[in-house]
Every structure is written in C-alpha cells, then in structure tokens.
Amino acid sequence: MTSGDPAQPPRRVDRAGVVIAALLAGLAAVLVWDARGLQSTTMYGMGPEAMPVVIATGLALLAIGNLIDALRGNLPARESADPVPVVLILAGLALLIAIIGFGGGFILATSALFVTTSAAFGRRAVLVDSVIALVMSTLIYLAFDRLLTLSLPAGPLERLL
C-alpha cells in the first residue's frame, strides 16, 4: 500500500443487482414472446407487435447494463427500505384500474394515480395535487381525443367535454 492511499474495500458482486437484471431480462423475454402472438393487420411496414419489441429491447439493454454494474460491484448503496411509497404507488395503480373498470374514465383514474404518486414522493399537498392532476388529465384527454383522435376510457367527466 502506498502512503496517502486509503484502503479501498474489495468490491463484491451485488446479488440484488443481479436479481434485478434477471427480472428485467425476464420481462423483456415475456414481452417478445407475447408480441409474437399479436396478429399483424398490415401488409407492409410495422404492425402492432413492433412497440413491445422496442420496449423489450430497451429492457434488455437495461438488464445488460445493470448486470455489468452488479458484477463489478458498481451499483450505488441502497437506502433502507421504506414500504410506504411502494404501497402508495401500488394503491394508485389499483385505483387507476378500479376507476377505469367501474366506468370512472381516464381523467379521474389518471388523477388518482397522479395524487398517490406525488404523495409517494413525499408531497403532502393533496388538494393542490388533485387540482393539478385534474387539469393535466383533462388536457391530456383532450389532446388524445380531439387532436390525435385516439379514444381513451370515457367516464362522466369525459362525457361533459
């Protein structure tokens, strides 16, 4: 050891990083496998199976990068696990599915997800976030519905527009 060099701890393989890389690769494989089952309605060009393959390619690249960093021990140290943000985001996703499933529409469903996600990130201004979410969701709905002529799940608020 030379003088002035602090002793570096040996880097170890980050097992959690390897697991995350495997899960990302598994998800990419599932997307590609599922995309193979989509029927292409176009005679030429790209069909509906193209986008899942693009997403799967991105996930595969993330898996490779994560695996390399995990094997080298280069992943940043993780903080202690706090389950509250994860539970809030999962609750928001459950609300999104439930609201759309029961006919509440895109605006209310997306607003619920926005508010729960902002709360998961530590924001406690629920009323202000609700107003922001409603305005943003309405603008997004109008952009998709009117400008792009793509339909989104309609509920009571969407029928008023």
Side-chain angles (χ1 to χ4, degrees), residues 13-29 56 58-72 75 78:
V13 172
D14 187 338
R15 283 187 256 156
V18 172
V19 170
I20 290 169
L23 290 173
L24 287 170
L27 183 59
L59 287 173
L61 290 173
L62 285 174
I64 292 167
N66 203 65
L67 180 64
I68 290 170
D69 279 347
L71 293 175
R72 290 181 179 170
L75 292 175
R78 284 173 286 287

Side-chain angles (χ1 to χ4, degrees), residues 38-50:
L38 292 175
Q39 295 293 326
S40 182
T41 57
T42 60
M43 296 300 225
Y44 56 90
M46 290 186 286
E49 72 280 352

Side-chain angles (χ1 to χ4, degrees), residues 21 23-36 49-64:
L23 290 173
L24 287 170
L27 183 59
V30 167
L31 283 175
V32 170
W33 179 75
D34 190 46
R36 287 184 35 213
E49 72 280 352
M51 198 61 205
V53 172
V54 169
I55 293 171
T57 303
L59 287 173
L61 290 173
L62 285 174
I64 292 167

